[in-house]
Every structure is written in structure tokens, then in C-alpha cells.
Amino acid sequence: MSKFATIDIVIFVIYFFIVAGYGYYIYRKKKKAVSDTHDFFLAEGSLTWWAIGASLIASNISAEQFIGMSGNGYSIGIAVAAYEWIAAIALIIVAVWFIPVYLKNKIFTMPQFLKTRYNETVALIMAIFWLFLYVFVNLTSILFLGSLAINNLMGGSPVTFEIIMIALSVFAVIITLGGMKVIGFTDVIQVGVLIIGGLATTYIALIVVSKAFGFGENAIEGFNQLVKNAPDHFHMIFAKPVPGTPQHQVDNYLTIPGLLSYVAGIWIINLNYWGCNQYITQRALGADLQTARKGILFAGFLKLLMPIIVMLPGIAAYVLHQKGMLQAEMAIGSKHGEVMSDNAYSAILGYLPNGLIGLSLAALTAAIVASLAGKANSISTIFTLDVYKKYIKKDADEKGMVWVGRITIIAALIIAIAFTWNDTLGIGGQGGFTYIQKYTGFISPGVFAMFILGMFWKRTTGAAAVVGVITGFLMSVLFNIFAPRWFGPETILYTAYKNADGNYEIPFHICMGLAFGFTMLVMILVSLGGPKINPKAFALDKTMFKVSPGVLAMIVVTLMIISMLYVRFW
């Protein structure tokens, strides 16, 4: 049964027209975007630091966080906040050390970086890798999780699910076809709606918990009851499983393997995502260094808020479910009435009063559409500039490339819809957030090794990069799929644990760390066979990495907040 009232529909429609209307206004005001590829793909020179920061967050926070991370909040707890809080530190690293290298060398796409630093073979291989990853992992998961949540609010009809999926795609196309400038400035509205609606949902969730335990409408008491009734959900670091450890704790460790997460895996995920990812870095590549740095650090500060918005509702759903509430809501879409953790956020939305449901739906839709638009634009950028222009039509003019970019956006979303239609890829089976992190992790180690060595070790060669990307992928496949079967569950390199299906599995963060380590070793050994300074090495100087007092202050404040959070929830 639908939980929407007329006021909810009115609020949502107003949100839609505000975003679409403002996007059209920006598009008409900046007509240059019709024919200029740099403006269409990068919004060159026109995004302010706050627009860059807001666009980064709006594009990053999507259904995978609202639905997937909330689902992890239900099943795992606050430990999943590590993705957000470590991301804030990763953004500091990107702002101080990565962005100066990109801007000094006029890098506009990640394949261009690989071509400039290595060779065209590496660039083409990775362009194809990224296109497949963005379409078949990111777009599909965003569509599936977003449609699932909205559909649950509307009663859970399969037909409605498909209509919602198409509607989200069309909305994203409307935003995306205006180029990065339209995306960037509409994202300011989107992130505002996202934060306001998200905080409202969290507040109501805490009120519901407080009332369920007899304390009236008291959000602080609601939070205290979460801590009291789900103490295992408020620890950042999980203990290593031992014989007799309950299966759900083993499953949690497989997802976030305690301190070992912080040795390599979670850093590779975040530094690769925020520093070597077209979808993200594209927002800053058209700005000057000061503007780009401030925008990235502003995004890092906003990341500190995200667990409150996307994780606490999941923990609230867990506590309410344990108290005998949300039984039907948590089982929507399941085959045998079992709990589906990805239903947690939409289950909580059902408690919102009329009007706030519409606002929260707008927040969720803002997150989904902004991410779809950003991802589609990045797919378009990579295909048009790094494949079409270089290998299909080398004499393509500016206007022609913009139209190819627009056609690519539509094609990518159509493909994503086709593979999401009946959950062909099995996204719902393993939790959306984990699905994205795990399968992105198959290429992250090799990609990050190529970038980090390419930026900061002048001896790294093109041959090493080719070998590295292949090694990284093969090592990821080896440790994620075959190692426990071939070498046993316990070796000097890893310990594998039985998952819920009874199969031995290595925590995927550890798999990423091992794959990254072997890739770095192989790339270094291959590079030692080349010249001491590769002719294609980037010129670096210390002045590139100096920061202004204002930027330094932002860094210090962010690090202090993160330190306090870890002291409180260790």
C-alpha cells in the first residue's frame, strides 16, 4: 500500500520543477555548452569551490549510500561509517597531492593521464575497463537500489519498480544533457535537499525509537536507546573471529575486517575512488588549484555528516525490528519472508508524517539522479574524448563530439535499465553497497598502483603499467575466488572464513591489499629494467604541494573531528 499523501506528491513535484527549471536556466545562460567540449564535459572555469564540493557529495551520495549503507547500518552498524570518515582523510590527500599533478599537466580525463604518463595502450585498456565498470556496476546498482526504495514506499509492485527505474533515468538524462555546468550547479540544490531531507529522516527515526521505548518524542533519548539496545552496532573495529564466533559476526568481519581494513583495503577504495576516478575528479579538473582544493576539502567536511544521514536510520530499523516492529517492511521483495537489509531505509521512511515523506523522497531522488547524471556524464566524457575522438573519428569537430556525448549518455542508461530490469546481476542478493565495493575492488588495486607510481615515481614505465593493470585484476580474481580453494583457508598471507553459504572467503578488503601489494612489487621490478628517469615522467616541485593558511585550517578541523569520532566509537 502506498504511503504517499497528496502533500507528498506536491512537494516532490515542486522539487522536480525547481531542479529541472534551474538546470534549464543555467543551460540557457551558458549557451557555450552546446558546442564546447571542455565546457560540456568539465564546466571549465565556471564552478565555484562550494559548487565543486556540493557536486562531489551529490554525485557520491546515492542509492548505494541511502539504501546500501543504511542496509549495512542495519546488519553491521557504525563500522561501515569508516567508508565516509576515511574518505574525508582521502580527500585531504587528493586535494594536497593529487590535484596539483593533474592541473599542472592539464589532465582532463583519467585515460588521458595514462596516455600522457605511460602510453596509448594503457589508456585504451583502462578506458574500456572504466566504461564497463561505470555501466554494469555503478549505473545498474544506483538504478536498482533507488527504484527498490521508492517502490517499497509505493507498495512494492514489480510494474511500479520498472516505471520508477525508467522515470529516474529520464530525470537524469534531463539534467545530464546540459553538460557538467548544469550538473554542477543543480547539484548545489540537490545536496541541500539531500542533507535537509536526510537529517529530517534521521530525526524522525530517533523519535520513533524513543517513543517505542516509552520516552516520548526525544531524539537524544532515541539515540541512547540505539546504543543501549544494539551495543554491538556501535563499534568501529571488529574482533577477529575465533572458533565458535556467531555467523553474523563472521559475516560482519568479512565486510569490515577490523584493523586490517585500515592497513590497505579501505585506503585503496577511497584513494582510488576520490583521486583516480573520472566520475569524481572531473568536478575539480576545470578549476584553478585554490578553488579545486577548497571544493574538495568542503566535500570532505560534508562526508563527516553522511553516516548520520545514511547509517543511523539503518540502525534504528534494526532496533525497531528486534522489538517486533517493521516485520512486513523488512521482508518486502524477499522470496521466503526473510529480512532484506536494503529495505531498512524505506521502512523508516514509512514512519514519517505526510509532507516529510515527500521531502525525504525528494532527498533520495536527488541523491539518485545526481549520481546517475554524474556517472553518465563521465561515461560520455571517457567514450567521446578517449575512444571516439582518438579511434573512431579523429577529425570530429566540437559540436559533433558534444552530440556523441549526449547519445552516449542515453545509450549507457538504456543498457543499465536492461541489466537492472530483473536484477540480472544479482545486486539485491548481497546488499547493494557491498556489491559496489566488492566488484569495484577487482580493478581498484591495479588502477591505484598505476596512478600512485605514475605520479610520484619517475622511473615507472609504460610496460610496468600494462603488466600492473593485468596483475592487479588477476590477483583480485585469485584472492577473491580461488585462493581458499587452491591454497586452503589459512596461509601466511591470509585467513579465510566460512561465509553464510558455508564457503571459505577472504575479506575483500584484505584481497584488495594483497592484490595491490603484488601489483606494486611487479610494477617496481619491471620498471627497474628501464631508465632511471622515464621520459614521460611528470615534472614535480615542492611548491605544487604547499597549501594556503585557509586550506590548512580546513584540514586541521577535519582531522580533529575524525579523531574525536574514533576515540568515542572505537
Side-chain angles (χ1 to χ4, degrees):
M1 181 178 178
S2 175
K3 299 180 176 67
F4 293 119
T6 302
I7 185 65
D8 298 307
I9 297 172
V10 170
I11 289 173
F12 181 79
V13 170
I14 290 172
Y15 149 76
F16 172 84
F17 279 107
I18 288 175
V19 173
Y22 184 62
Y24 183 72
Y25 166 75
I26 294 294
Y27 174 75
R28 295 293 300 176
K29 186 179 179 182
K30 305 290 185 179
K31 286 288 287 183
K32 179 185 173 186
V34 173
S35 60
D36 188 327
T37 54
H38 278 183
D39 213 51
F40 182 80
F41 295 119
L42 297 168
E44 189 165 21
S46 63
L47 295 184
T48 60
W49 65 267
W50 45 266
I52 290 172
S55 187
L56 284 168
I57 294 301
S59 297
N60 166 244
I61 302 299
S62 181
E64 66 185 89
Q65 272 81 16
F66 267 106
I67 309 307
M69 187 173 280
S70 185
N72 275 170
Y74 177 96
S75 58
I76 294 174
I78 199 172
V80 77
Y83 283 105
E84 305 300 292
W85 294 338
I86 296 301
I89 301 176
L91 282 163
I92 292 172
I93 295 170
V94 170
V96 175
W97 285 287
F98 285 30
I99 286 296
V101 177
Y102 292 144
L103 295 182
K104 183 178 177 64
N105 292 278
K106 301 187 184 303
I107 300 298
F108 301 121
T109 72
M110 297 301 97
Q112 181 199 351
F113 170 94
L114 297 174
K115 178 191 173 184
T116 304
R117 178 60 182 85
Y118 296 120
N119 55 55
E120 291 211 9
T121 301
V122 177
L124 180 60
I125 290 172
M126 287 314 305
I128 294 170
F129 258 121
W130 274 313
L131 289 173
F132 271 87
L133 179 70
Y134 289 170
V135 173
F136 293 103
V137 174
N138 296 104
L139 282 185
T140 53
S141 57
I142 293 167
L143 274 177
F144 176 83
L145 293 172
S147 302
L148 175 70
I150 297 172
N151 186 47
N152 286 353
L153 282 173
M154 299 182 71
S157 165
V159 175
T160 309
F161 176 88
E162 293 158 0
I163 293 172
I164 292 167
M165 186 167 54
I166 294 171
L168 288 172
S169 300
V170 171
F171 193 176
V173 167
I174 291 172
I175 299 298
T176 313
L177 293 184
M180 181 52 69
K181 185 182 276 88
V182 173
I183 294 171
F185 280 105
T186 54
D187 277 351
V188 175
I189 298 176
Q190 307 267 49
V191 84
V193 173
L194 183 159
I195 291 174
I196 294 169
L199 288 174
T201 302
T202 299
Y203 176 77
I204 295 298
L206 295 177
I207 291 293
V208 171
V209 172
S210 178
K211 291 171 68 175
F213 285 90
F215 291 96
E217 296 186 356
N218 189 327
I220 295 175
E221 189 56 46
F223 179 80
N224 292 336
Q225 289 303 311
L226 292 186
V227 176
K228 180 180 177 180
N229 289 277
D232 57 326
H233 278 55
F234 285 89
H235 291 292
M236 292 296 300
I237 309 297
F238 292 137
K240 185 176 180 179
V242 297
T245 298
Q247 186 59 52
H248 76 275
Q249 292 183 19
V250 176
D251 292 340
N252 289 349
Y253 189 84
L254 285 170
T255 304
I256 308 282
L259 285 173
L260 288 176
S261 286
Y262 297 85
V263 173
I266 206 161
W267 290 105
I268 296 169
I269 290 170
N270 275 296
L271 287 171
N272 178 69
Y273 179 85
W274 293 103
C276 314
N277 182 353
Q278 181 71 30
Y279 170 54
I280 293 300
T281 54
Q282 190 166 337
R283 272 107 185 113
L285 295 181
D288 61 79
L289 181 57
Q290 276 295 100
T291 303
R293 273 181 168 159
K294 287 182 179 178
I296 292 168
L297 293 174
F298 178 51
F301 182 77
L302 292 177
K303 287 295 281 182
L304 301 179
L305 298 173
M306 290 305 114
I308 298 172
I309 293 173
V310 301
M311 184 197 62
L312 278 184
I315 301 177
Y318 172 82
V319 170
L320 293 172
H321 187 262
Q322 294 301 107
K323 195 171 174 60
M325 304 164 68
L326 303 180
Q327 304 300 309
E329 290 87 344
M330 291 305 300
I332 291 176
S334 63
K335 294 180 180 178
H336 305 291
E338 68 272 17
V339 168
M340 290 186 67
S341 60
D342 281 344
N343 286 339
Y345 196 80
S346 57
I348 289 295
L349 287 183
Y351 281 100
L352 268 61
N354 291 336
L356 273 183
I357 291 180
L359 179 63
S360 294
L361 176 64
L364 179 59
T365 305
I368 296 164
V369 170
S371 288
L372 286 174
K375 192 68 73 178
N377 186 272
S378 294
I379 292 167
S380 169
T381 302
I382 291 175
F383 177 79
T384 305
L385 300 184
D386 297 298
V387 178
Y388 179 79
K389 174 67 173 175
K390 290 179 182 175
Y391 300 102
I392 298 174
K393 191 173 182 181
K394 295 183 179 181
D395 60 346
D397 60 18
E398 295 279 302
K399 192 170 183 178
M401 285 194 291
V402 168
W403 277 106
V404 168
R406 288 173 172 157
I407 293 168
T408 302
I409 288 166
I410 295 171
L413 284 165
I414 290 173
I415 293 170
I417 289 172
F419 278 87
T420 311
W421 199 263
N422 293 312
D423 193 16
T424 305
L425 301 174
I427 300 166
Q430 52 190 306
F433 190 72
T434 301
Y435 170 85
I436 293 171
Q437 302 303 328
K438 185 171 184 177
Y439 289 103
T440 301
F442 275 84
I443 69 165
S444 296
V447 173
F448 184 55
M450 280 196 304
F451 272 77
I452 201 77
L453 287 177
M455 276 191 268
F456 302 112
W457 192 42
K458 293 185 176 182
R459 193 161 185 169
T460 316
T461 65
V466 173
V467 173
V469 69
I470 295 171
T471 300
F473 179 73
L474 293 178
M475 289 293 105
S476 295
V477 171
L478 171 66
F479 289 114
N480 276 287
I481 300 174
F482 297 109
R485 192 186 316 163
W486 290 356
F487 310 120
E490 185 84 42
T491 72
I492 193 173
L493 294 176
Y494 64 80
T495 299
Y497 304 91
K498 281 190 175 181
N499 59 26
D501 296 325
N503 300 317
Y504 279 102
E505 180 181 335
I506 306 169
F508 70 88
H509 282 189
I510 296 173
C511 293
M512 291 180 69
L514 291 169
F516 175 72
F518 279 108
T519 302
M520 289 284 284
L521 178 61
V522 168
M523 287 187 66
I524 289 169
L525 290 175
V526 172
S527 295
L528 289 175
K532 288 187 177 181
I533 297 180
N534 190 286
K536 287 198 167 189
F538 291 134
L540 305 177
D541 62 78
K542 292 182 180 179
T543 60
M544 292 169 56
F545 307 113
K546 288 183 178 179
V547 298
S548 66
V551 168
L552 182 61
M554 295 175 76
I555 292 171
V556 170
V557 170
T558 300
L559 292 176
M560 288 177 64
I561 294 172
I562 294 170
S563 299
M564 289 188 290
L565 288 168
Y566 268 86
V567 168
R568 171 63 181 85
F569 294 111
W570 185 271

